[in-house]
Amino acid sequence: QVHLVESGGGLVQAGGSLRLSCAASGSIFSIAVMGWYRQAPGKQRELVAHIISGGKTNYADSVKGRFTISRDNAKNTVYLQMNSLKPEDTAVYYCNMMLKIYSSSPPAAYWGQGTQVTVSS
């Protein structure tokens, strides 16, 4: 079975930085897409950023220029470097990976447990 474990959340002042990590373990054939989502209280979960195996990235407009997503394929790990944090960034951040456990299996989405990011004024 596949497990995604997140780390790096916490409390930070506005303008500060945090770096989130998410490592996948278990039997994994390939990971096509790694991404980060976030969900604030009373809000719908939204895509923050994702990165495909070829390295192309996509960001929500609200985080462009401030957040950077990267991946270490050898470690099955995705990172989210968050700079110039704003109170509006406060949310639970969830790691997501679209992966195959076997070459013949269809890709499926796996989720981390979520990590709280709180940005104070």
Side-chain angles (χ1 to χ4, degrees), residues 14-32:
S17 298
L18 286 173
R19 184 174 65 197
L20 307 183
S21 299
C22 177
S25 63
S27 296
I28 300 171
F29 176 76
S30 64
I31 305 175

Side-chain angles (χ1 to χ4, degrees), residues 2-121:
V2 176
H3 297 276
L4 275 59
V5 179
E6 302 179 29
S7 62
L11 175 65
V12 66
Q13 297 280 349
S17 298
L18 286 173
R19 184 174 65 197
L20 307 183
S21 299
C22 177
S25 63
S27 296
I28 300 171
F29 176 76
S30 64
I31 305 175
V33 183
M34 299 181 179
W36 290 94
Y37 291 73
R38 66 186 182 187
Q39 188 167 21
K43 302 291 186 179
Q44 197 166 350
R45 187 175 300 183
E46 64 174 345
L47 175 68
V48 176
H50 73 257
I51 182 168
I52 63 174
S53 60
K56 183 175 176 61
T57 58
N58 185 64
Y59 297 91
D61 288 341
S62 59
V63 307
K64 285 181 179 178
R66 299 188 297 119
F67 291 10
T68 302
I69 188 170
S70 61
R71 61 190 286 172
D72 186 333
N73 292 325
K75 297 180 179 179
N76 291 331
T77 299
V78 62
Y79 306 93
L80 185 68
Q81 178 67 46
M82 304 184 293
N83 298 326
S84 302
L85 282 162
K86 304 175 180 179
E88 305 94 275
D89 296 318
T90 296
V92 177
Y93 284 70
Y94 295 92
C95 172
N96 171 267
M97 297 188 187
M98 185 67 67
L99 58 83
K100 292 182 176 182
I101 59 175
Y102 304 106
S103 62
S104 59
S105 65
Y110 291 81
W111 294 89
Q113 80 280 7
T115 184
Q116 177 70 47
V117 172
T118 302
V119 184
S120 65
S121 300

